[in-house]
Amino acid sequence: MKTLLILLSFAIALPAADLIEHAHAHPDGKAAFSFDASAWQNSDATRHLPIGVFDSGIGGLTVLEALLTLDAFHNDTLRPGADGRPDFERERFIYFGDQANMPYGNYSAVNRTDYLRELIVKDAIFLLGRRFWPADGKAPQFTKPPVKALVIACNTATAYGLEDIRQAVAAWKIPVIVVGVVEAGARGVLESNTEGGIGVLATVGTCASGVYPRTISQTLGLAGKSVPVIAQQGSATLAGAIEGDTAFPESVSAYAMKEARALAEAYCDSNPTKPLQTIVLGCTHYPLARSEIDTAFDSLRKEEAFRDLIAEKRLFVNPAEATARELFRELAKARLRLKTAETSALEHHQFYLSVARPEQSGVRLAADGSLDKDYKYSRLPGHLEIEDTRNIPLTPALLPPASLKLVRERLPAVWKALSR
Ligand code: DGL
């Protein structure tokens, strides 16, 4: 095993190698950060498994809303076009929000993307496994179903963890599909077929990784298209403000204006020849503030400096919708999609959320019981004996009032499933 770990460390950058080895060493899935390796032995049973979706918190519920409501294909013929039936009507989803460890977008600013990458692979392992914690109980339980697909609903997690998860799934030799929100978003840009420049609004971490400009350039290049100017702007405030976090006291419109201005300035600094036309909403929360962002660009156009460099009509790319389409295609390609008369092994969608685990020795908590900020951002990868958070079933009562309001008012399909 030691030799295997050394070999893996060369082929796959740590920390994924540590977790790959750890899961190999615990094939019954009883240990933390491991899963039952025998779960996908029967291919017909695999098809009936639910689909896992994860995010750093509740923002990814916007992606789940898109998954629950997408009607872009004919369910029986798989042809493009709406047929009045949700495309995933037979499927069930398991959603996981790693709320205890978020914001993911801020790990890069403190040079802790190594730990962030470990967290992201742990998210995938949680969804693959049966192990979860009851809301109040001293021992984990093992009745959560495994999944047949993993949707990385978080832009930052896709930026830092998509390749690790793909490598891990290949190393474990499990037939699980992995779809990330960034590749889907880049495909959304391609399909939008516009001529103008591209602006990406995302977290600080996503922008620092350069994943959107890189993936959009590759996607356009592979399709034989020329690559226009791509500017990006990373925000440390907009997602929190959209969630109603009191640490961000100004209105969503005020934060949206600040980020739109910064993006427009970055765009102008890149010496573009065409106006900024396509805006990628590269953070889970931003589709919820689309109209505020659009209004901000409208008022920027009234300024002399921006008038000719911002298109009169912008086109917004919402990677959530593109991800839903991508998942449909991938499931169909792998013959893992449930057909009209079939039912999932899971009766209802399930939701989980991480919370701090005070029983873990060495853990430091804030006054409200969450992980202390300094503790959170100073952790090192490679300590798989430490379980300082627990993944428990998410119920509406666990959501902070502002998030609850957001889900109830803006994500009706998710709310219906969550408040059942
Ligand atoms: N879900 C994250 C994303 O889409 C935003 C929140 C965070 O930083 O954790 O990038």
Side-chain angles (χ1 to χ4, degrees):
M1 276 302 168
K2 193 134 200 123
T3 332
L4 177 64
L5 178 59
I6 293 165
L7 285 174
L8 281 171
S9 307
F10 279 110
I12 303 169
L14 291 164
D18 268 357
L19 282 160
I20 291 170
E21 168 60 12
H22 178 81
H24 270 309
H26 300 90
D28 65 0
K30 298 285 185 234
F33 320 124
S34 73
F35 58 87
D36 173 2
S38 67
W40 301 270
Q41 268 167 8
N42 175 328
S43 59
D44 194 50
T46 297
R47 218 155 46 77
H48 290 77
L49 292 178
I51 296 162
V53 181
F54 76 85
D55 176 43
S56 56
I58 61 133
L61 291 174
T62 58
V63 178
L64 184 61
E65 181 77 13
L67 291 166
L68 293 173
T69 56
L70 182 78
D71 180 14
F73 299 92
H74 288 260
N75 290 11
D76 295 327
T77 61
L78 311 187
R79 290 226 178 89
D83 63 357
R85 286 159 57 198
D87 293 332
F88 295 103
E89 68 174 353
R90 310 309 301 167
E91 308 288 350
R92 293 294 174 266
F93 293 93
I94 300 187
Y95 181 86
F96 171 56
D98 192 14
Q99 192 81 7
N101 293 302
M102 79 166 294
Y104 279 6
N106 293 352
Y107 282 84
S108 71
V110 290
N111 296 319
R112 275 276 76 89
T113 54
D114 50 1
Y115 191 74
L116 173 64
R117 287 174 56 197
E118 184 175 288
L119 283 174
I120 297 163
V121 181
K122 284 176 179 172
D123 295 343
I125 291 176
F126 168 70
L127 286 171
L128 292 172
R130 303 181 192 277
R131 188 179 188 274
F132 74 100
W133 288 82
D136 36 40
K138 294 272 173 282
Q141 294 181 359
F142 297 90
T143 50
K144 178 202 147 290
V147 296
K148 63 179 170 183
L150 290 165
V151 177
I152 312 180
C154 176
N155 295 264
T156 314
T158 307
Y160 289 95
L162 176 69
E163 285 316 313
D164 288 340
I165 292 177
R166 288 214 165 124
Q167 287 182 333
V169 163
W172 292 322
K173 297 190 170 49
I174 55 175
V176 172
I177 288 172
V178 184
V179 174
V181 80
V182 174
E183 284 173 350
R187 201 200 266 250
V189 171
L190 173 67
E191 286 166 1
S192 73
N193 223 355
T194 49
E195 295 288 310
I198 299 170
V200 178
L201 287 170
T203 64
V204 175
T206 298
C207 291
S209 77
V211 71
Y212 265 111
R214 195 167 59 242
T215 315
I216 292 170
S217 302
Q218 276 163 2
T219 308
L220 294 179
L222 281 172
K225 303 251 177 191
S226 61
V227 181
V229 167
I230 307 175
Q232 50 174 0
Q233 166 60 18
S235 171
T237 54
L238 190 52
I242 293 168
E243 233 174 81
D245 186 333
T246 48
F248 307 102
E250 290 176 49
S251 66
V252 170
S253 301
Y255 289 110
M257 184 64 197
K258 195 171 141 264
E259 305 306 348
R261 179 178 292 283
L263 180 62
E265 279 166 2
Y267 185 74
C268 295
D269 289 347
S270 317
N271 300 320
T273 51
K274 290 178 178 160
L276 172 61
Q277 189 174 20
T278 303
I279 311 290
V280 179
L281 301 172
C283 170
T284 44
H285 295 60
Y286 296 176
L288 296 170
R290 177 189 161 142
S291 67
E292 286 89 341
I293 295 168
D294 203 27
T295 305
F297 282 112
D298 269 338
S299 51
L300 286 171
R301 276 197 92 244
K302 296 194 179 108
E303 296 180 24
E304 181 68 39
F306 297 125
R307 184 162 310 128
D308 297 331
L309 286 174
I310 298 176
E312 192 182 348
K313 292 266 167 283
R314 276 81 48 195
L315 193 126
F316 284 86
V317 171
N318 175 359
E321 284 161 22
T323 302
R325 284 198 298 275
E326 192 89 343
L327 177 68
F328 186 93
R329 284 190 284 255
E330 289 298 313
L331 281 179
K333 205 161 74 188
R335 300 191 184 284
L336 281 175
R337 200 182 148 264
L338 286 177
K339 304 199 178 71
T340 302
E342 294 178 325
T343 44
S344 172
L346 189 63
E347 197 183 343
H348 301 291
H349 307 298
Q350 290 186 353
F351 297 82
Y352 294 87
L353 192 76
S354 64
V355 293
R357 180 167 172 258
E359 295 81 21
Q360 174 64 55
S361 75
V363 71
R364 288 206 315 272
L365 301 183
D368 64 358
S370 62
L371 293 181
D372 169 78
K373 279 212 173 58
D374 290 340
Y375 170 83
K376 191 193 287 190
Y377 288 103
S378 60
R379 292 171 295 173
L380 298 171
H383 294 280
L384 302 181
E385 73 289 359
I386 297 177
E387 194 179 9
D388 54 13
T389 59
R390 294 184 305 141
N391 301 340
I392 64 171
L394 166 63
T395 55
L398 275 176
L399 289 175
S403 307
L404 190 73
K405 184 167 181 289
L406 195 81
V407 177
R408 205 171 40 215
E409 290 175 3
R410 309 289 296 275
L411 307 174
V414 169
W415 178 246
K416 195 171 160 211
L418 185 63
S419 59
R420 193 183 53 77

